[in-house]
Amino acid sequence: MKNVKIADTTLCRAHNSFSFKEKIEIARQLEKLNADIIELPEITDGKTDILLVRTVSSFVKHSNISVAAGMSEKSIADAAEALENTNHKTIRIELPVSPVGMEYTCHLKPAKMLDWIEKAVKTAKEKVSSVEFCATDATRAERDFLYSAIKNATQAGADRITVCDTAGSMLPDDFAQFVKEIIENTGVPVGIKCNNKAGLAAAQAILAVRNGASCVKCAVGGDTVSLDTFGSIIKDYGNDYDISSNIKYTELHRIVKQINWITDNAKNENTTVTVNADFDGIRLDKNDTQEAVLTAVKKLGYDLSEDDSINVYNEFLRVASKKNVGAKELDAIVASAALQVPSAYKLVSYVINNGNIITASAHIVLERDGVPTEGIEIGDGPIDASFIAIDKIIGRHYELDDFQIQAVTEGKEAMGSAVVKLRSGGKLYSGNGISTDIIGASIRAYLNAINKIVYEEA
């Protein structure tokens, strides 16, 4: 059975107004969905864009993160710098190959464009192991020139080639034949990107896959192949046509709905979507039974003992008497009410150094059995540095399953609440921390979860 890769381009939408947190949340949801590749746009705002890529990388551990590079060696260097600590990474070289595109977008003649394609791919390949060449207007290119461009890119080290019908100029069967001929003439893996202006992008994509395309660029919203539609096509017809993907079909509609909710709210400049919005579809009130509450708890990934189940439900009733309970509230309830244990590790002190011209560092001192131990580490931000320093002190690293922050009071002296979920031995452990300093709240939440793991292991 042929496995087709899914590259999501939602975060590359032109003129999007996503906030920093919204971009991170979209990436996290795509990681949960098992998207093979999460694409990010070119680095244009220096340190801000580089920080975004690094922050996304700290949450995305399995999907490949792909960053576009522009028409300069600096843009390639910026993309490589941003991806420096990413587990699975790709630099995309996106260039026009039609006569009009080369002349008016890049101001290059065909021969010069071939030279730049080769140089750009070679430069990117020296910095990362995976490079993709995207012919952004391939269906409008002269066929011989397109083949030459692909040849130059592959000889320079490109691992993947993508041909795009950005104009939406081909009907599905013609586009599928176009892709088939490219594969036959070049002998390299070919991905595709289609324009949905006539509503035919999904049809173009599935026919191109049947003709040999190995990767499809999809998105939630926008003008390309719908992630929801294409995933559903593979789910419903894949077995009949020997096509599969890594997408979690049982999660597909729910996660697409969550991302749609973010993108819809992003259109309103006065609306800010926080990391902890109720994306799990959990809505509970004081009339819900213990069984309903514990079912929702399991949906969040927790496996509670009988005593903890009772404690969580009692705390739920207290909270639900004042307000409805969603996923973020239920997370906090579990963190505060389940598996309350003695503190094996106690926080003595922490010192954080952070700024826009220095690398974030954390100096943490923890005490165990009356003996203080310190850890000093740097990271991609103050919270990341703090977590790494704690890991160094305890000599263990646990998988960070989720991390949420929110304000629980208003004003300049607002209290911040953090919930951390760590996974050990396949089981989730949740920690909660509250402080006027959100970094302090995060450290306390992380330590709270670790103490629960240590207690159970002992």
Side-chain angles (χ1 to χ4, degrees), residues 204-421:
Q204 280 184 306
I206 198 64
L207 288 180
V209 168
R210 293 190 64 193
N211 274 19
S214 59
C215 180
V216 176
K217 293 185 187 287
C218 301
V220 178
D223 57 0
T224 189
V225 179
S226 163
L227 176 61
D228 198 14
T229 301
F230 189 71
S232 297
I233 290 173
I234 297 179
K235 174 179 176 291
D236 295 337
Y237 301 101
N239 288 335
D240 296 333
Y241 294 95
D242 290 327
I243 300 170
S244 67
S245 78
N246 295 324
I247 292 294
K248 294 180 180 177
Y249 302 117
T250 56
E251 300 287 312
L252 178 62
H253 298 305
R254 181 181 67 83
I255 287 179
V256 167
K257 184 178 180 181
Q258 293 163 4
I259 296 175
N260 266 323
W261 187 85
I262 297 174
T263 58
D264 288 346
N265 279 278
K267 295 173 186 175
N268 181 352
E269 294 181 356
N270 297 319
T271 301
T272 301
V273 180
T274 61
V275 173
N276 10 265
D278 288 330
F279 295 122
D280 289 282
I282 294 172
R283 299 289 187 275
L284 300 169
D285 60 38
K286 61 184 179 182
N287 297 315
D288 281 295
T289 64
Q290 181 173 350
E291 182 182 1
V293 173
L294 295 180
T295 298
V297 168
K298 283 188 176 181
K299 186 177 180 181
L300 292 177
Y302 297 108
D303 181 17
L304 301 181
S305 67
E306 185 175 346
D307 288 342
D308 282 337
S309 297
I310 294 172
N311 291 337
V312 166
Y313 183 63
N314 288 336
E315 179 65 10
F316 162 79
L317 290 176
R318 186 188 69 79
V319 174
S321 67
K322 302 175 183 177
K323 60 179 291 188
N324 289 342
V325 172
K328 64 179 181 181
E329 289 87 3
L330 194 57
D331 257 331
I333 289 170
V334 173
S336 61
L339 193 59
Q340 296 306 303
V341 301
S343 297
Y345 291 96
K346 295 179 181 179
L347 178 64
V348 176
S349 65
Y350 63 92
V351 177
I352 307 298
N353 289 303
N354 189 42
N356 65 345
I357 59 172
I358 62 171
T359 301
S361 64
H363 179 192
I364 308 288
V365 179
L366 302 181
E367 182 181 281
R368 183 171 189 181
D369 299 328
V371 179
T373 307
E374 66 177 6
I376 303 174
E377 289 294 327
I378 61 173
D380 292 330
I383 293 175
D384 181 58
S386 300
F387 289 178
I388 295 173
I390 293 173
D391 288 346
K392 180 180 179 181
I393 293 171
I394 67 175
R396 293 280 298 277
H397 172 72
Y398 298 103
E399 179 187 349
L400 180 63
D401 189 271
D402 197 9
F403 172 53
Q404 303 175 12
I405 55 175
Q406 63 176 329
V408 294
T409 59
E410 297 180 352
K412 289 192 295 183
E413 300 300 321
M415 292 290 289
S417 172
V419 173
V420 168
K421 294 183 190 176

Side-chain angles (χ1 to χ4, degrees), residues 50-165:
I50 290 174
L51 177 61
L52 171 66
V53 176
R54 289 181 173 178
T55 305
V56 167
S57 299
S58 69
F59 287 99
V60 175
K61 301 301 183 183
H62 303 293
S63 299
N64 184 295
I65 296 178
S66 172
V67 175
M71 281 295 300
S72 69
E73 291 189 54
K74 183 181 185 305
S75 69
I76 298 172
D78 286 343
E81 181 183 350
L83 290 166
E84 187 175 8
N85 297 316
T86 306
N87 287 356
H88 311 287
K89 52 196 173 188
T90 296
I91 291 179
R92 293 192 321 281
I93 305 298
E94 298 181 334
L95 295 169
V97 288
S98 70
V100 173
M102 290 185 288
E103 183 72 28
Y104 292 99
T105 303
C106 302
H107 310 295
L108 291 179
K109 297 294 183 182
K112 291 292 186 181
M113 177 57 79
L114 290 177
D115 290 341
W116 173 244
I117 290 171
E118 182 177 354
K119 182 177 181 180
V121 171
K122 189 174 292 184
T123 301
K125 191 68 175 179
E126 291 171 353
K127 299 179 182 297
V128 297
S129 60
S130 175
V131 177
E132 176 186 359
F133 170 64
C134 297
T136 58
D137 54 358
T139 54
R140 294 185 293 178
E142 296 176 359
R143 197 63 58 89
D144 288 343
F145 180 82
L146 176 60
Y147 292 157
S148 296
I150 293 173
K151 180 180 179 181
N152 276 28
T154 53
Q155 288 182 344
D159 305 277
R160 300 197 307 273
I161 302 296
T162 297
V163 293
C164 310
D165 184 17

